Amino acid sequence: MHGEYKVPGGKLVVVDLEVADGRIADFHLAGDFFLEPDDALADIDAAVTGLPVEADVATIAAAVRAALPAGAQLLGFTPEAVGTAVRRALIVAPGWTEFDWEIIHEKAVSPAMNLALDEVLTTRVGDGRRTPTLRIWEWDASAVVIGSFQSLRNEVDPEGAARHGFDVVRRISGGGAMLMAAGSIITYSLYVPAELVAGMTFADSYAFLDDWVLHALRAVGIEATYQPLNDIASPKGKIGGAAQKRLANGGVLHHATLSYDMDGQVLTEVLRIGREKLSDKGTTSAAKRVDPLRSQTGMPRAEIIERMKETFTSLYGAKPGVISAEEYAEAEALVASKFATDAWLQRVP
């Protein structure tokens, strides 16, 4: 069995193994990482060999960590990355390039329509009716998008939202509220089958699915990093955040919003951001939480998006795609029955 795991921001971890009598046998670790001392590689191989095939990532990582000699240095990977690669080998999880990818970047639509398209396209990927897809959003109006489980009244100041022209909508994924001013943010969604993230913890899948965008941001001069659980950041501050939703049919939605040109004062007037929430971000000012892409690159929003699409295409061989008339019609019906209704918006008052 063969498994691979590219550590987000790190190196490729490759494992080959056999299974005998319910246990891992003939295990070998490889990759483009760095490891000192050199013979620690044999220690890792020995630690994993003999583990039960049911061992989870934490168990495998603990065994690797316990076997390492004092002072061992792992550069570009971790014991957890070894565990993830092992789990992916045992599950026979495919990699990015084993799928045919499409990139969709179409006309601007309403906030509710963008959210409905997320559900429709994720469902279709889960059902096998659509190939895995990256979609870049365009907006015809500004919006506050709250997480599936957030309290509407606790998160949004309705007077501030109305004054600044922001619709208020609720998405199907969890996480926090996002202020999405039309033309001032970059939002993308990945619609993928669950097989792509098989063997990973939920937390690890976030970084895995956003690794490509770190490459894209670095290509335009931003020293982008991933900060658990779901933040994309640079040395100058937070850039954006991600959220996920996993459907029962095996479709996985992973979407992220990056700030291009954020007005911090508007943020504080529209969102009810308390001091306690900001305190764990290391700042007392909401305006300082997001450092826009424009200030770090000097590039037009459209150019940054093109560089993102180019990066994704070069990594995974994606081709341009479209949303079909049938998919648009299905999303329009979902807007009417769900995303534009008070029942959905106020599901958590």
Side-chain angles (χ1 to χ4, degrees), residues 42-176:
D43 295 327
I44 294 175
D45 288 350
V48 177
T49 297
L51 290 176
V53 294
E54 298 85 5
D56 60 13
V57 171
T59 300
I60 298 167
V64 170
R65 193 169 279 110
L68 291 170
Q73 298 291 314
L74 284 66
L75 303 177
F77 77 117
T78 64
E80 286 73 19
V82 176
T84 298
V86 171
R87 292 309 316 162
R88 288 177 64 77
L90 291 168
I91 296 171
V92 193
W96 288 89
T97 56
E98 293 180 53
F99 296 99
D100 294 323
W101 289 91
E102 287 189 358
I103 297 179
I104 293 172
H105 186 196
E106 294 196 347
K107 64 183 181 182
V109 295
S110 71
M113 186 65 169
N114 270 311
L115 300 180
L117 283 169
D118 264 1
E119 184 166 336
V120 168
L121 299 181
T122 305
T123 299
R124 285 179 171 248
V125 169
D127 288 342
R129 291 182 290 157
R130 163 173 279 281
T131 189
T133 301
L134 166 68
R135 179 173 73 96
I136 308 295
W137 298 23
E138 292 295 348
W139 305 73
D140 65 9
S142 298
V144 178
V145 182
I146 62 175
S148 180
F149 311 109
Q150 287 190 298
S151 164
L152 176 62
R153 61 171 169 255
N154 288 343
E155 295 298 327
V156 182
D157 182 330
E159 294 181 357
R163 183 169 63 253
H164 291 288
F166 283 83
D167 292 342
V168 183
V169 291
R170 185 186 294 275
R171 62 181 184 267
I172 61 172
S173 62

Side-chain angles (χ1 to χ4, degrees), residues 35 58 69 86 89 94 103 110 122 152 176 180 205 212 225 266 299 318 336:
L35 175 64
V86 171
I103 297 179
S110 71
T122 305
L152 176 62
M180 298 180 166
S205 72
W212 71 274
T225 57
V266 171
M299 295 169 60

Side-chain angles (χ1 to χ4, degrees), residues 169-194:
V169 291
R170 185 186 294 275
R171 62 181 184 267
I172 61 172
S173 62
M178 300 295 292
L179 191 74
M180 298 180 166
S184 295
I185 48 93
I186 298 174
T187 299
Y188 61 86
S189 293
L190 283 167
Y191 313 111
V192 307

Side-chain angles (χ1 to χ4, degrees), residues 11-22:
K11 299 297 185 177
L12 181 66
V13 177
V14 181
V15 300
D16 290 283
L17 58 92
E18 301 294 335
V19 172
D21 299 324

Side-chain angles (χ1 to χ4, degrees), residues 230-287:
N230 61 340
D231 284 353
I232 298 169
S234 77
K236 295 184 178 181
K238 178 178 174 180
I239 296 171
Q244 273 188 27
K245 176 67 177 179
R246 302 191 178 199
L247 304 185
N249 72 347
V252 177
L253 164 65
H254 179 95
H255 48 196
T257 293
L258 310 178
S259 177
Y260 176 72
D261 185 16
M262 175 62 67
D263 186 328
Q265 184 59 41
V266 171
L267 181 74
T268 62
E269 293 178 12
V270 175
L271 300 182
R272 300 186 191 278
I273 302 175
R275 291 176 181 268
E276 183 175 353
K277 182 173 181 179
L278 288 172
S279 66
D280 71 353
K281 305 296 183 182
T283 179
T284 58
S285 169

